[in-house]
């Protein structure tokens, strides 16, 4: 279960009081529904106040919470059937990226995404969702396969960044990500991506050059994590909250800046509070988006994709 964040403690304390009152009523046969109703009303107001006034750093904390749906959770909820495919056909299978072929509402679709673990053991196995070059090469292999058979591709992105270790650099990390960027820009099949939690650096971008980019309400997406940016800018990683404030990396900022196409709402406090509802929302958006994109010719898609990314980064000199 996800641990409670500091700013959520007043909500948790009030929930505990409500539960204690219910238990007291049941145990003693007392009718205290009036008091209970007041506390529940207060809880609703407090919850709205807390989650409507989150700082960018608090949103980053929510995006990192354990219990948020992973790529495999989305696959299970979105697909009627799914077959996972392994390996990059060069070196090995990278478990931090999962992918395969599924059926969504009767339509064959390739799905690829970062996979984090549920606990320490699984996180070690999945390398905390930080992919090696072979993970990006596996993803590219599946993209090319999808292009060959005319299947659209759906990506789920949740990573702090590509693995920065020596072994990844030795195996060509930068080349693998750069290759994906090039190939995805010209991939001749419809593509959509969902930023479901963390969208860190090239590790995220290597699966995100798509026709549509959707971002969950509490997710973030940036060239660098706030702590890392703070370490570079101010030589102090504890200034992460300050960096998050100025970097404009939250979902509303991404929509405002044109970096994402649409915000996917989450329950108050994040997808981990009600995973099934979020997964159902994502499934509906996948079906809607693919239906829209499949009506267009490949040449129209490529032209729109080109314009989409050319328009990013425009600036005005003052």
């Amino acid at each position: 279960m996800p641990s409670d964040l500091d700013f959520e403690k007043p909500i948790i304390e009030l929930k505990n009081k409500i539960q204690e009152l219910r238990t007291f009523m049941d145990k003693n046969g007392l009718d205290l529904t009036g008091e209970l109703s007041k506390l529940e009303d207060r809880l609703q107001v407090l919850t709205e106040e807390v989650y409507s006034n989150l700082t960018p750093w608090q949103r980053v904390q929510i995006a990192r919470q354990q219990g948020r749906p992973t790529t495999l959770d989305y696959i299970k909820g979105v697909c009627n059937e799914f077959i996972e495919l392994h390996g990059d056909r060069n070196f090995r299978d990278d478990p931090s990226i999962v992918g395969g072929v599924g059926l969504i509402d009767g339509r064959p679709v390739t799905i690829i995404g970062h996979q984090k673990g549920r606990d320490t053991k699984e996180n070690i196995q999945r390398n905390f969702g930080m992919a090696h070059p072979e993970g990006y090469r596996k993803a590219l292999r599946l993209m090319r396969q999808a292009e060959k058979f005319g299947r659209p591709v759906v990506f789920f992105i949740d990573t702090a960044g590509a693995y920065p270790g020596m072994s990844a650099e030795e195996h060509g990390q930068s080349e693998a990500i750069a290759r994906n960027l090039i190939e995805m820009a010209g991939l001749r099949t419809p593509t959509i991506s969902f930023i479901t939690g963390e969208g860190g650096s090239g590790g995220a971008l290597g699966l995100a050059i798509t026709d549509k980019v959707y971002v969950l309400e509490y997710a973030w997406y940036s060239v660098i994590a706030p702590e890392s940016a703070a370490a570079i800018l101010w030589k102090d990683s504890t200034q992460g909250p300050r960096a998050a404030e100025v970097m404009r990396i939250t979902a509303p900022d991404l929509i405002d800046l044109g970096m994402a196409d649409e915000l996917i709402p989450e329950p108050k406090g994040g997808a981990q509070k009600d995973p099934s509802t979020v997964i159902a929302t994502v499934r509906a958006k996948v079906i809607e988006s693919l239906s829209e994109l499949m009506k267009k010719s490949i040449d129209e898609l490529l032209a729109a994709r080109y314009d989409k990314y050319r328009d990013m980064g425009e600036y005005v000199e003052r």
Side-chain angles (χ1 to χ4, degrees):
M1 294 296 292
S3 58
D4 301 320
L5 300 169
D6 287 342
F7 61 86
E8 293 179 311
K9 286 181 179 178
I11 296 174
I12 302 304
E13 290 172 0
L14 189 51
K15 283 183 177 179
N16 290 338
K17 287 181 180 179
I18 291 172
Q19 186 56 48
E20 288 171 6
L21 183 56
R22 285 202 181 103
T23 302
F24 181 79
M25 288 170 55
D26 294 340
K27 184 177 180 180
N28 296 281
L30 298 174
D31 184 6
L32 300 173
T33 52
E35 288 78 0
L36 184 62
S37 179
K38 289 179 182 177
L39 287 176
E40 289 176 338
D41 289 344
R42 172 58 185 153
L43 176 62
Q44 184 174 353
V45 171
L46 180 61
T47 301
E48 183 67 30
E49 288 177 352
V50 170
Y51 293 121
S52 297
N53 295 284
L54 293 173
T55 66
W57 178 247
Q58 288 169 339
R59 287 175 174 270
V60 169
Q61 289 179 293
I62 291 176
R64 292 172 173 172
Q65 280 283 78
Q66 286 205 358
R68 289 181 70 83
T70 67
T71 292
L72 289 175
D73 294 325
Y74 284 109
I75 288 172
K76 183 177 179 181
V78 168
C79 294
N80 306 107
E81 298 179 40
F82 181 74
I83 299 175
E84 185 175 354
L85 302 175
H86 297 272
D88 67 345
R89 300 298 185 267
N90 285 296
F91 180 50
R92 67 161 188 140
D93 182 55
D94 184 353
S96 61
I97 285 186
V98 298
V101 182
L103 281 178
I104 301 178
D105 205 27
R107 174 181 284 129
V109 174
T110 291
I111 299 182
I112 304 167
H114 300 96
Q115 180 64 28
K116 291 182 177 179
R118 289 294 190 196
D119 51 35
T120 301
K121 181 179 179 180
E122 190 178 355
N123 264 322
I124 291 172
Q125 177 197 353
R126 300 286 184 180
N127 202 37
F128 296 86
M130 296 187 294
H132 289 75
E134 48 269 28
Y136 292 102
R137 292 180 179 125
K138 173 169 69 172
L140 179 56
R141 179 176 75 83
L142 297 180
M143 291 180 222
R144 286 171 171 165
Q145 182 192 79
E147 181 181 57
K148 178 179 179 180
F149 292 103
R151 292 192 298 265
V153 189
V154 180
F155 299 90
F156 292 102
I157 296 159
D158 186 11
T159 181
Y163 181 57
M166 185 180 294
S167 61
E169 296 301 325
E170 289 173 343
H171 297 157
Q173 184 73 286
S174 58
E175 186 279 334
I177 293 174
R179 177 62 58 187
N180 277 19
L181 303 184
I182 294 170
E183 296 283 349
M184 292 184 78
L187 199 68
R188 299 183 66 81
T189 192
T191 56
I192 61 175
S193 57
F194 291 84
I195 314 295
T196 61
E198 297 189 272
S201 191
L205 195 62
L207 299 184
I209 305 298
T210 52
D211 297 309
K212 294 288 185 179
V213 178
Y214 300 101
V215 57
L216 267 65
E217 185 174 358
Y218 297 111
W220 64 271
Y221 186 33
S222 173
V223 68
I224 192 171
E227 303 95 315
S228 301
I232 293 171
L233 293 174
W234 304 300
K235 312 301 180 185
D236 183 2
S237 63
T238 64
Q239 293 292 315
R242 178 184 173 191
E245 191 76 38
V246 301
M247 289 167 64
R248 301 194 66 188
I249 62 177
T250 66
D253 289 324
L254 297 171
I255 300 299
D256 184 50
L257 293 169
M259 304 300 294
D261 295 286
E262 189 175 329
L263 183 150
I264 305 296
E266 298 186 46
K268 296 296 183 184
Q272 67 277 12
K273 305 291 185 181
D274 189 0
S276 59
T277 296
V278 174
I279 291 171
T281 302
V282 168
R283 185 179 193 276
K285 182 54 64 176
V286 169
I287 294 171
E288 175 192 322
S289 186
L290 290 182
S291 296
E292 174 190 337
L293 293 173
M294 294 293 283
K295 293 176 183 177
K296 299 180 179 180
S297 70
I298 296 299
D299 288 338
E300 287 177 315
L301 283 176
L302 291 179
R305 195 184 302 164
Y306 176 85
D307 291 338
K308 174 187 180 70
Y309 290 97
R310 285 287 293 177
D311 288 342
M312 291 182 183
E314 289 186 349
Y315 65 93
V316 177
E317 292 185 356
R318 294 179 180 176

